[in-house]
Structures are given as structure tokens and as C-alpha cells.
Amino acid sequence: MNNREIVNTFNRVADMLSIRGDQIHRVLAYSKAAESIAALGRDINQVYAEGKLTEIPGIGKTLAAKIEEMLTTGKLEFYDRLSAEIPPSLVDLLRVEGLGPKRVKQIYDVLGVTTLDELTAVAQAGELSKLPRMGKKTEARLLAAIDALQRHGDGRTPLGDAWPTAQAMLAELEKVPGVTKTAVAGSLRRMKETIGDIDLLVAAEDAAAVMARFAELENIEAVTAQGPTKSRVVLFNGTGVDLRVLPPERWGTLISYFTGSKDHNVALRELALKKGLSLNEHAFTPLNGDPEILCASEEDVYTTLGLPYIVPQLREDRGEIAAAIAGILPELIQSSDIISDLHMHSTWSDGKMSILEMAQAARSHGRQFVVITDHSASLGIANGLSVERLRKQADEIAAANLAMGSGFAILHGTEMEIKADGTLDFPDDVLAELDFVIASLHTSLSQPREQVTDRMLNAIWNPHVDMIAHPTGRLLPDRSGADLDMDIIFESAAATGTILEVNANPQRLDLRDIHVRRAVELGIKLAINTDAHHVDHFDLLHYGVATAQRGWATAVSVVNTWSLEKFLAYIQRKPNK
DNA sequence: TAGTAGTGACTAACATTTGCCCACAAATG
């Protein structure tokens, strides 16, 4: 069993326990454990082999035993027993907006409904509205929610899709008279790789005018809630958008609350209570009856709690509050630190622009040097380069370097296929001619873990391979990528000095945040690259930087902060070269 | 259920808004 399967099982158990009506802390224990394992950044089998399961936050003796049972037998007896009482399919009903554990239990107990189809049938027959505390309106809302679920699913939206949508909506709301501030919040502001819904904030004295304009924006299918300070709409693509409006003097607590994460908020509020303050999105309220403390800025919120400012990217309750208290928050990598881009394509393979155009655009984006890394021959679909074309490309790079003049450098590299049999697409003597060698997986990603890991190791241990691009090959939101044994990959990358990429393309964001964190802990060198196929793609860098920040990366770990001289020296003295 | 203090018991997860039915469930971070 792998991490994901255990996470799924624990989440299902948590949902089933909440439907059964178990004590909230028992439910929380399972969902907290699931979250911890999801954020682990390493293979739980490895942690188990080291006998360190209980060192995972939220895993005690009992859950460690359950994990051991799943890892050794492939099943969980407790889950089977629970299933006899609470049909596991009931968990699916919770995905319907408007249905929580209490209602699901009631619908199951009284009507015997266990699936979405059965639920639809009883709702259409009008049976649902006969239940206590359910009426015709609720019944109609649930039918609409089921319909929406079946049309759009409840999948998450990739960051790269949600970000521009949110910015466009904010641009409209900014035009409403009386609006003084606008911002995105929620998981979008924290730059999570996928987001559940879009959260927008507006500071204005007159909320009603903003709410009215919000409901009229483009692409809105339905307004599902509209109160004095809070509205919710659903876009035609199924994405939910929440808007909250408060007066500007309460902006700090508002944006802090709405940025989350939920767990981070809970931790902040606990901390506030210890200081005799109750914290909500409006203000701090002293428990002794003193007047409330307003925070116009988010910095004020943290100052009031006696903490240094914590950037949104860190607010996942993964140790950032303890680090803030201890004064050891990392000095995170910034976009302005990045002076090179080590991965991009030209018209020689599947890029859309010439080498010179790419270089000029990179310079205008503040880069001081780039590596042209077109695909290699066996990626035929991308017009990969043969050895002959690769050598010919060197001439054009020399010419482009001349055209660019001094103060900028174009290096010659390759993004070389790691083929399905594990061999590399170019022989070592050809690789030796290049300035910089990237190896990456694009095909046969679904090979068994051992096989695909071995392929990758073969590349990492090759003395000419300087970097692994987008290591897992995942594509958001749906393709999960290769099932690599990341522990071994990291070990080998550290041993050989091989750079691992944080690919900034929002479809990839690979390495992902939790793997960045693990790599940083192990002292592995990272590169944040755009993988640009077009000059417009240089604008995507911030997604990669945010992902690195979510992994607590500092400039020390990121080779794109290095001067050309330092960079060239490093890849020359790669330990196994 | 985890964590803690201590080996069985106790505490722990905050605070709000909205909709709909008529006192509460669900949803938001």
C-alpha cells in the first residue's frame, strides 16, 4: 500500500465516523492523520521500516498499528467492521453541497438511501421533503447540487487556471465606487497547486454595491448565497467563488482569516486565546471585556499575537507557527533572486520561438543567462533533435550569443529523454560536448515503481547529467505522474550533486511543495525553471517560486540565484563527472 | 484518537454567516 491509499482509507474512516456521529475528536484524529501522511514527502513504507511511524505528527500507538496492518496485510479490519455499520458509499453523499453528516445519517436511517442515484430518486419522488427539518426548498437545492456535482464533479481547479480568473474578477470589482482594497485569499493566495474554490476580498464601506456588482459578473451560472457581508456564486465551469466585504479598518483580520489555512487559523486563534484574546475575521476581542482591537493590516494581526509576519505560502500548519515563535522562519526564495533559466525550448523542437527571441525575452524578464534545452530524438512528437541537428544547433547558439552582445549568455543544453528501457537518448561523448544536460521522463510513466525509479537512477548517476526536469512527470489536475521512490531519488541526487527541478509551469509544479521541503532538508540543489515553449511562458516563473516557497526553500538551495561563473563551476565539479 | 502525565483519566478544535425551517445543519477559512 502507498501513501495515497492510506490517506484515502483514513479520510473515508473519518467521514464514516462523522456520519455515525462519533465524538468529533475521534473523527479529527483520523483526518489529521490523513493530512499528515499526505504532507509527508516520503514513502510511508520507508518510515515504517525505520520504525518511526509515531514520529509523524498526529500518529500515535493506535493509528501506527492500523498503518502497520494496512502495510503488511493490505487491508484494515477496523474499516471492514465499520463498513458493516455505515455503508462506505454514504461518504459519496457528503460530496453533495448542502449535505453534511447529520443529514446523510438521517436520509440513510429513514429512507435507506446509500447512493447518489437513490438520493436523486427519493428527492424527485418528494420523499426527502417529508423528513423533519427538510422542506421543498432544501429538496430542490439538493437536486440542483447533485446535478452540478454530476456535471462538473467536485475536482479541484489548477492554480494556473484559477489565478487569471480571480484577477479578472477583482479588476471588475475594483471599479465599484467606494472600494479601497481588493485581494484574492484562500488556497489561491497560499498558491496551492490546485484550489477548491476562489476566495475574493473587498474593503469597502458600502458592501451592498459590491455584492450587487459581483452577482452580475461574467461567467456566473448561479448565485448560491447572498448576505450582507458574504456572497457565493458558481461559475459555468463549476468553480465556486466566495466574496466577502468588510470595512477597511478590519482588513487585516479579514484577509488573515480568509487566507487560512483552516488549521493555521485554528492555531492562531488558540494562540490568541492564551493571550486572553478571541480572534475572528472582524477583530481581536479581549476576554476581559476591553474594547476590540482592530487590525488594518495583516502584519498587525501577527504583531498582536507576538509573532513575526508569516507569508501565505507557509500557512499550512506544518510547523510555521513554531518556527515563527522560535524566530527561525526561513528567508524564502524570491522571484527577484532568480537570474537564470535552465530549461526552455525553441523552434528546433516543439518551441514556438527562435533561440534569439527566447534569449531576448529572458533578458527583458531579468535573466542574465539561459540554457536552450530542446528535446532529444526519441521524443518524436516534439520534433526531438538527432545528434546531427544537436551539433548544428550549436552554430545558431553561437550566432545568437553574438547578437545578444555582452552581459548575457546563452548556453547549449538538451532535455534528453530517459527512454522506457532506462537508457539515455544520447551517448556520453555527445553529452560531453554540451554545456548543460537535463534528463527527463515523458513516456512510460506508469511503469511499476521499481522499474521507473531505476530508469531515473540511471540518469542521475550518469556523470554528464546535471539536472532532472519535472521529476515525476505529473500533469495537473489529472495525471499523477510516475510512482517514483522519492527517498532513493533524493538520496542519489544528494550523493551526485544532481540538480532537481521545480518546474514552474502551473500544469506541472514538479517537484511539488512537500517534495521541495524534503529536498531542502536533505541539502539537494534545486532549480526553478519555466520550461518555456514561448516567450509568454517566462511570466509563469512566479508559480514555481511560490511552490518552492511552500517547500520552505531559501536562495541557498536554488541554483538560479547563482552567477554564470558560479553555476559553470558547480556543474564542472559535479562530484561524479 | 492523540498527547500528556503517569500506567487509567482527562483534555483537545476557533469562530463566523447563510439558508431554511421554525431550532439547526452546513459551509467557510
Side-chain angles (χ1 to χ4, degrees):
Chain A
M1 270 191 141
N2 59 30
N3 294 34
R4 202 185 55 237
E5 289 166 314
I6 291 177
V7 168
N8 284 344
T9 304
F10 278 174
N11 275 328
R12 289 187 84 81
V13 168
D15 282 341
M16 288 155 79
L17 290 175
S18 76
I19 292 170
R20 192 168 76 173
D22 275 44
Q23 214 194 62
I24 183 67
H25 295 107
R26 197 174 188 212
V27 176
L28 288 171
Y30 279 94
S31 62
K32 178 91 209 309
E35 214 158 285
S36 259
I37 295 165
L40 202 52
R42 40 182 323 212
D43 184 357
I44 194 155
N45 287 281
Q46 187 72 30
V47 181
Y48 168 62
E50 292 168 11
K52 291 181 175 170
L53 284 179
T54 54
E55 289 180 20
I56 301 170
I59 307 290
K61 240 170 59 181
T62 317
L63 288 186
K66 288 190 164 71
I67 294 170
E68 176 174 23
E69 183 190 342
M70 284 188 274
L71 292 181
T72 53
T73 71
K75 52 191 280 258
L76 182 63
E77 204 217 315
F78 174 62
Y79 178 83
D80 296 339
R81 255 187 299 135
L82 193 58
S83 302
E85 205 179 329
I86 303 291
S89 62
L90 285 181
V91 170
D92 298 334
L93 301 190
L94 292 174
R95 294 164 55 212
V96 177
E97 197 169 343
L99 277 190
K102 298 259 173 66
R103 278 179 175 167
V104 167
K105 178 75 158 49
Q106 184 189 36
I107 291 166
Y108 170 59
D109 283 347
V110 180
L111 301 173
V113 164
T114 58
T115 66
L116 269 181
D117 286 344
E118 290 168 15
L119 180 65
T120 309
V122 296
Q124 280 168 344
E127 292 295 316
L128 217 49
S129 55
K130 293 181 189 162
L131 295 176
R133 297 205 43 74
M134 300 274 270
K136 279 289 168 200
K137 280 198 169 170
T138 303
E139 193 171 62
R141 281 171 69 93
L142 288 177
L143 275 172
I146 294 168
D147 179 53
L149 181 65
Q150 287 171 338
R151 273 185 300 131
H152 303 299
D154 57 355
R156 298 175 62 86
T157 308
L159 174 63
D161 295 343
W163 185 260
T165 306
Q167 298 300 334
M169 296 181 89
L170 282 186
E172 288 303 312
L173 294 177
E174 267 169 23
K175 296 177 191 163
V176 177
V179 168
T180 56
K181 277 181 180 168
T182 64
V184 297
S187 51
L188 190 50
R189 182 161 181 249
R190 302 198 309 276
M191 302 296 275
K192 262 187 96 161
E193 61 193 31
T194 61
I195 59 132
D197 55 16
I198 294 175
D199 301 297
L200 303 178
L201 303 184
V202 166
E205 294 298 342
D206 177 17
V210 182
M211 294 301 181
R213 178 73 189 99
F214 180 55
E216 291 167 358
L217 290 178
E218 273 183 19
N219 293 323
I220 288 179
E221 183 181 270
V223 178
T224 54
Q226 195 164 27
T229 63
K230 183 179 164 185
S231 292
R232 180 176 174 84
V233 300
V234 178
L235 305 181
F236 281 110
N237 66 8
T239 306
V241 185
D242 284 306
L243 170 68
R244 194 116 171 192
V245 184
L246 280 186
E249 63 270 21
R250 297 177 188 273
W251 181 256
T253 42
L254 172 71
I255 192 168
S256 164
Y257 155 69
F258 226 160
T259 298
S261 65
K262 180 165 65 81
D263 293 330
H264 181 86
N265 287 351
V266 169
L268 287 188
R269 288 175 178 196
E270 285 174 351
L271 203 57
L273 283 177
K274 284 187 192 146
K275 293 181 182 291
L277 299 166
S278 170
L279 170 61
N280 64 27
E281 59 266 48
H282 301 283
F284 285 98
T285 308
L287 299 175
N288 64 10
D290 284 353
E292 58 181 13
I293 303 165
L294 303 189
C295 295
S297 79
E298 219 175 17
E299 283 78 2
D300 292 346
V301 174
Y302 287 96
T303 304
T304 306
L305 291 168
L307 296 177
Y309 181 70
I310 301 174
V311 298
Q313 288 85 339
L314 293 183
R315 299 181 199 169
E316 298 290 347
D317 194 27
R318 294 179 185 160
E320 71 279 5
I321 291 177
I325 291 172
I328 52 169
L329 280 173
E331 272 193 45
L332 298 176
I333 178 80
Q334 304 293 323
S335 287
S336 54
D337 297 330
I338 305 281
I339 62 167
S340 67
D341 197 328
L342 312 179
H343 184 177
M344 67 188 62
H345 300 268
S346 72
T347 46
W348 283 78
S349 63
D350 62 347
K352 302 291 177 240
M353 316 290 261
S354 71
I355 291 170
L356 185 57
E357 286 169 321
M358 294 301 279
Q360 287 166 336
R363 180 157 65 187
S364 74
H365 279 81
R367 308 291 163 268
Q368 296 175 12
F369 65 96
V370 298
V371 191
I372 299 295
T373 54
D374 278 305
H375 293 285
S376 63
S378 66
L379 199 63
I381 194 169
N383 191 26
L385 274 60
S386 63
V387 173
E388 291 69 31
R389 287 179 69 216
L390 184 70
R391 285 180 171 144
K392 217 183 263 175
Q393 191 185 32
D395 299 336
E396 185 170 326
I397 286 178
N401 263 317
L402 274 179
M404 290 297 289
S406 62
F408 192 89
I410 308 169
L411 303 182
H412 191 196
T414 178
E415 181 182 11
M416 172 179 59
E417 285 307 291
I418 303 170
K419 294 194 280 190
D421 63 3
T423 60
L424 302 176
D425 217 2
F426 292 130
D428 282 3
D429 60 321
V430 172
L431 295 181
E433 298 170 21
L434 295 167
D435 298 316
F436 187 68
V437 175
I438 300 175
S440 56
L441 299 172
H442 291 99
T443 58
S444 301
L445 294 177
S446 53
Q447 287 174 343
R449 162 175 288 215
E450 198 175 327
Q451 190 178 0
V452 74
T453 301
D454 279 347
R455 275 167 81 191
M456 185 62 87
L457 291 179
N458 191 40
I460 290 177
W461 284 96
N462 180 292
H464 297 284
V465 170
D466 299 300
M467 186 183 95
I468 303 295
H470 46 72
T472 73
R474 72 168 182 174
L475 286 181
L476 294 166
D478 293 326
R479 196 169 85 189
S480 56
D483 180 25
L484 294 170
D485 185 331
M486 293 307 287
D487 286 294
I488 296 179
I489 302 291
F490 285 149
E491 206 175 286
S492 298
T496 58
T498 307
I499 300 163
L500 298 185
E501 182 180 64
V502 181
N503 191 291
N505 188 304
Q507 282 197 302
R508 294 196 180 274
L509 301 180
D510 180 13
L511 297 174
R512 53 176 302 195
D513 53 4
I514 59 173
H515 286 146
V516 171
R517 179 116 182 233
R518 181 83 182 138
V520 167
E521 285 167 3
L522 295 171
I524 289 165
K525 294 298 176 210
L526 301 172
I528 307 172
N529 302 314
T530 60
D531 193 358
H533 287 66
H534 188 283
V535 293
D536 291 348
H537 295 166
F538 289 117
D539 292 325
L540 302 177
L541 181 70
H542 70 109
Y543 294 117
V545 171
T547 299
Q549 292 171 332
R550 290 178 55 83
W552 294 47
T554 67
V556 173
S557 299
V558 180
V559 303
N560 308 77
T561 62
W562 293 351
S563 67
L564 178 61
E565 294 69 32
K566 184 171 176 182
F567 173 71
L568 289 176
Y570 178 79
I571 58 178
Q572 280 312 315
R573 67 174 170 73
K574 189 182 170 188
N576 57 349
K577 205 161 200 167

